[in-house]
Amino acid sequence: MIRYMEQSRFNYNQISFNVGIYQQLSPRMYAELDFNNQQFFYANSVGRFQAGDRFLDENAVRLSVGRRDPLNSRLFLDSFYEFSANFSEPNNRSRLINSFWVSLNYYLQEPLQIGINYQLNLSDFTQRQRDDQYHRLFGHVIYRVSDSSSFNLQSGFSFGDSTDRNINFDSWFLSVYYNLKIGEF
């Protein structure tokens, strides 16, 4: 569920499914190829759309490479690159995305991790003239409940630019996630 404090008419619900193949390349590097489906639904009735109507269905094929460098026994520098081809319905949202991410993580104690992150996404829309440059700078707290589940709290701000003058990326955000892995082969 995504909720906006000052623009509640834009609230929406999201469901996401992901399947991937993960390969350890070296003790510090990995690669992953995955498929993701996301569906977005109106949370409120807006104009001719009713609450619960789907407004976006997106399939993505992603290839990513990541690296973890220990700076000491509790401090780690993670770096990540991902290329994503996103095919959407409606198709004017289809795009190619290059993502870069750097994260400095500190393990306070066994189940608790804190960190600071920088993310850059470069998006090229394939069915219309639009390019986006999106940045996020944020902190996170992760509490690992078990080997297969965790809570994740993120807060920070985003900024960027788009060739579409109606797009404004400048905002503050707060995200709360509960992650659960079901099955690992």
Side-chain angles (χ1 to χ4, degrees), residues 95-130:
R95 62 204 182 282
L96 303 174
I97 303 171
N98 285 286
S99 298
F100 306 90
W101 191 333
V102 177
S103 181
L104 187 61
N105 298 290
Y106 184 74
Y107 289 84
L108 291 171
Q109 48 185 305
E110 183 59 35
L112 188 60
Q113 170 194 342
I114 61 171
I116 188 162
N117 309 268
Y118 170 73
Q119 180 182 359
L120 168 63
N121 287 353
L122 303 171
S123 300
D124 178 13
F125 286 74
T126 60
Q127 302 299 313
R128 62 181 166 153
Q129 292 293 331
R130 178 178 163 191

Side-chain angles (χ1 to χ4, degrees), residues 104-173:
L104 187 61
N105 298 290
Y106 184 74
Y107 289 84
L108 291 171
Q109 48 185 305
E110 183 59 35
L112 188 60
Q113 170 194 342
I114 61 171
I116 188 162
N117 309 268
Y118 170 73
Q119 180 182 359
L120 168 63
N121 287 353
L122 303 171
S123 300
D124 178 13
F125 286 74
T126 60
Q127 302 299 313
R128 62 181 166 153
Q129 292 293 331
R130 178 178 163 191
D131 295 310
D132 293 348
Q133 181 184 68
Y134 173 78
H135 306 263
R136 286 190 346 153
L137 185 60
F138 61 100
H140 74 261
V141 176
I142 298 174
Y143 182 78
R144 190 175 180 145
V145 177
S146 70
D147 287 342
S148 61
S149 66
S150 63
F151 283 103
N152 185 342
L153 172 69
Q154 298 179 354
S155 184
F157 59 95
S158 61
F159 56 98
D161 195 21
S162 176
T163 55
D164 184 334
R165 290 183 288 154
N166 295 319
I167 304 298
N168 181 2
F169 292 117
D170 301 345
S171 67
W172 171 87
F173 66 91

